[in-house]
Amino acid sequence: MKQLLLFFTLFITLSQVHSQQNLPTDYLSKEFHKGRREAFRNLMPNNSVAVVFSYPERVFSKDVNYNYHQNPDLYYLSGYKEPDAVLLLFKEDQGVEKYNEILFVRERNAGKETWTGRRLGAEAAKSKLGFTTVYNGKDFKDFAIDFKKLSTIIYDKIPTDIGNDKSGFDLYGLLESFKTKAGITTENETSINLFTNITNSLREIKTPEEMDLLRKSVKLSCIAHNEVMKAIGPDMSENEADGIHAYIHRHYGAEAEGYAPIVGAGANGCILHYGENNSTKIDNQLLLMDVGSEYHGYSADVTRTIPANGKFSEEQKAIYQLVYEAQEEVFKICKPGTPIQNLNQKSKEVIAAGLIKLGIITDPKDVRIYYPHGCSHFLGLDVHDKGNYMGKLKENMVLTVEPGIYIPANSKCDKKWWNIGVRIEDDLAITKDSYENLSAESPRKWQDIEKLATQKSTFNEMKFPKI
Ligand code: GLY
Ligand code: MN
Ligand code: MN
């Protein structure tokens, strides 16, 4: 009787953890991931294997981990979103079963799933992700793979700062087994370079399915920027502006932000990757918002800089206009064939000339004091996505164009410029002979920003109890 009860309890628990309803229907398809594995395999040398591990989990607080984020390379190649996994891709068919890929995943466990969430498990990884050969992570150690028979083992840098649950088949255990099986004592640079080159060349070109998700991620991020432009006033806090972005992202189904939001007023806007977002009052200052959603893995990366009181001052406008002009000049060369390095060079030239004209610098080399970062990076599953940055622009690349000028207090220029920080960042898809600005829906011209600021936002109507 007791055993029967246990069986039923287990059955009910497992059915409960299975019964996930009303999920998004626009995730990447299993055909997409399979296609990416094929594309990867085509670039592998003969008699090789690629070994791709999940990212480690990270502690947030005692007994609490950060929300888990999969290694984008593993996600790209498999669609698997959980920790403690490893994918093996072989160039040629292996064994009598003639498999050319194996995914090792977390084992299902009713007790653990009650505490930390559902697990896909090996069976569903076959049906939902389209693999034929899937095992539990605990089977990896004794799985018969003779790495020594293979000419090349392709893998990424092996992380060392990871937890060890001593089970032998968490990520730590999987990595130890891999190193033992493959006889790796020190990382092989050739293996890592090969992995990097293959993933760079695949991920820098977006497929139509990826483009759909990126387009959506950028669009909903623009809606969030526009709503803050309407809602903002000098009494708003940085945190509240950040919260409006987050609310709108979630409203449209984005799981998270693609990076820690940068919402900085005045002097804070001069800190490139400011993240405290804790100034309680933006006041009559500029607010620099570098915030983008992550939608089904794909990150937007949009920056708008707006005056909290709805009107740019003369100095703010002069700096803003210069950044805008630099962005416009870079847009003009965004087409297939342009060396990617030229985008940064062009933006630096325009800003240097403009800063000289405004009397802020005298030597063009000093542009780097006020514009210390690059102009562009690829965008995709990573906000700073993989790709060959020494190459040329190609159709279906997606990248940012993000010039900026940051003049902190005590800079060696007239103090009327102090504490002005401006960045304008847009996300471009390179087309056959030009580009499409995916973030065009959010205004960039100072006149359009001032105009939008005169509109009311739903967030202005919201009333909460005083505490
Ligand atoms: N949000 C980080 C960047 O713009 O690169
Ligand atoms: Mn960026
Ligand atoms: Mn950004």
Side-chain angles (χ1 to χ4, degrees):
M1 184 64 197
K2 235 180 172 175
Q3 271 164 336
L4 202 66
L5 202 67
L6 192 71
F7 173 77
F8 274 114
T9 317
L10 197 67
F11 178 76
I12 289 166
T13 319
L14 280 174
S15 345
Q16 276 170 349
V17 295
H18 263 307
S19 62
Q20 229 177 337
Q21 288 178 340
N22 302 331
L23 292 176
T25 53
D26 58 345
Y27 291 123
L28 291 169
S29 64
K30 59 184 172 189
E31 290 76 23
F32 166 85
H33 299 292
K34 195 176 167 54
R36 297 295 80 202
R37 293 197 293 280
E38 276 312 316
F40 192 108
R41 199 174 276 116
N42 285 340
L43 298 175
M44 290 166 68
N46 288 342
N47 197 29
S48 64
V49 62
V51 186
V52 190
F53 290 90
S54 56
Y55 267 177
E57 292 185 276
R58 296 286 182 204
V59 175
F60 172 81
S61 179
K62 187 168 145 55
D63 300 333
V64 183
N65 282 347
Y66 281 95
N67 278 346
Y68 184 66
H69 196 281
Q70 184 57 280
N71 171 1
D73 285 319
L74 182 58
Y75 183 65
Y76 185 76
L77 294 169
S78 71
Y80 190 67
K81 294 187 209 161
E82 297 172 34
D84 303 330
V86 56
L87 168 68
L88 279 79
L89 279 183
F90 298 90
K91 176 77 175 179
E92 295 91 3
D93 287 348
Q94 306 289 309
V96 279
E97 304 92 339
K98 298 222 169 300
Y99 57 82
N100 63 3
E101 53 196 28
I102 319 174
L103 182 65
F104 290 89
V105 299
R106 274 200 311 186
E107 191 169 24
R108 296 214 53 196
N109 179 316
K112 287 188 176 158
E113 288 181 55
T114 301
W115 283 93
T116 53
R118 298 175 178 89
R119 296 177 174 201
L120 191 64
E123 283 316 305
K126 291 181 191 167
S127 59
K128 295 209 165 120
L129 303 181
F131 282 87
T132 37
T133 315
V134 184
Y135 294 99
N136 289 318
K138 71 168 189 234
D139 299 323
F140 181 61
K141 186 163 182 269
D142 296 322
F143 197 88
I145 306 166
D146 189 355
F147 282 99
K148 295 187 185 70
K149 274 198 182 150
L150 295 155
S151 322
T152 316
I153 307 171
I154 305 167
Y155 54 90
D156 203 356
K157 284 195 192 76
I158 298 175
T160 49
D161 56 337
I162 50 173
N164 174 8
D165 75 4
K166 309 251 169 50
S167 65
F169 46 88
D170 62 345
L171 178 63
Y172 188 93
L174 293 175
L175 284 164
E176 287 306 301
S177 299
F178 169 59
K179 286 190 272 186
T180 309
K181 282 162 155 326
I184 295 170
T185 44
T186 47
E187 286 178 334
N188 181 322
E189 242 177 72
T190 315
S191 298
I192 295 170
N193 287 340
L194 202 47
F195 183 82
T196 307
N197 291 341
I198 294 176
T199 49
N200 278 355
S201 70
L202 293 178
R203 285 180 52 192
E204 71 179 11
I205 305 292
K206 269 57 187 185
T207 69
E209 275 187 273
E210 292 184 285
M211 205 62 101
D212 284 349
L213 294 180
L214 267 167
R215 201 178 282 286
K216 185 145 186 188
S217 187
V218 176
K219 185 183 177 76
L220 67 92
S221 301
C222 286
I223 294 174
H225 276 275
N226 294 356
E227 203 58 39
V228 181
M229 286 184 197
K230 293 191 258 171
I232 199 169
D235 289 333
M236 188 181 272
S237 69
E238 291 175 345
N239 236 326
E240 204 175 354
D242 186 353
I244 294 176
H245 282 277
Y247 179 80
I248 292 173
H249 294 172
R250 300 301 178 281
H251 175 77
Y252 289 104
E255 293 83 358
E257 282 63 57
Y259 51 95
I262 300 163
V263 183
N268 297 337
C270 299
I271 302 168
L272 301 179
H273 283 176
Y274 173 73
E276 288 160 287
N277 304 352
N278 61 355
S279 173
T280 56
K281 198 169 172 331
I282 297 166
D283 252 330
N284 291 313
Q285 304 183 92
L286 285 180
L287 182 68
L288 187 154
M289 304 184 288
D290 183 345
V291 191
S293 81
E294 182 179 314
Y295 187 84
H296 299 359
Y298 286 81
S299 182
D301 190 5
V302 178
T303 307
R304 291 293 181 262
T305 307
I306 60 175
N309 60 13
K311 284 258 171 233
F312 287 90
S313 72
E314 283 315 303
E315 288 74 24
Q316 290 169 351
K317 196 183 290 177
I319 298 297
Y320 188 90
Q321 192 56 20
L322 179 51
V323 176
Y324 176 85
E325 278 158 18
Q327 207 193 21
E328 286 285 306
E329 287 307 308
V330 175
F331 285 170
K332 286 183 191 157
I333 57 169
C334 284
K335 54 177 183 244
T338 300
I340 292 165
Q341 302 293 318
N342 287 14
L343 310 188
N344 187 42
Q345 208 180 314
K346 171 62 77 182
S347 68
K348 291 274 179 334
E349 277 166 24
V350 177
I351 290 186
L355 288 177
I356 290 173
K357 217 164 160 189
L358 292 172
I360 296 174
I361 58 172
T362 49
D363 183 342
K365 280 206 290 296
D366 287 343
V367 66
R368 71 168 81 98
I369 300 173
Y370 299 111
Y371 175 23
H373 59 77
C375 179
S376 295
H377 56 79
F378 295 116
L379 194 62
L381 285 171
D382 284 296
V383 61
H384 292 177
D385 212 31
K386 285 194 157 181
N388 176 11
Y389 283 85
M390 302 314 286
K392 291 182 176 172
L393 289 178
K394 294 182 204 145
E395 188 179 1
N396 295 324
M397 284 180 163
V398 176
L399 78 170
T400 65
V401 174
E402 49 173 308
I405 298 175
Y406 316 90
I407 313 179
N410 302 315
S411 294
K412 288 190 185 123
C413 61
D414 192 321
K415 69 182 198 193
K416 70 179 182 180
W417 304 111
W418 290 0
N419 292 329
I420 296 179
V422 174
R423 177 160 65 255
I424 315 176
E425 178 171 25
D426 281 79
D427 302 338
L428 270 53
I430 302 300
T431 59
K432 204 164 181 298
D433 46 21
S434 176
Y435 69 89
E436 179 190 349
N437 185 351
L438 304 179
S439 44
E441 217 168 290
S442 184
R444 296 183 298 117
K445 285 194 174 125
W446 67 263
Q447 297 91 333
D448 294 341
I449 291 172
E450 289 193 352
K451 200 161 155 211
L452 194 58
T454 62
Q455 290 185 23
K456 277 258 159 294
S457 157
T458 336
F459 286 90
N460 296 126
E461 311 302 326
M462 291 172 88
K463 297 272 174 287
F464 299 101
K466 277 210 169 357
I467 54 166

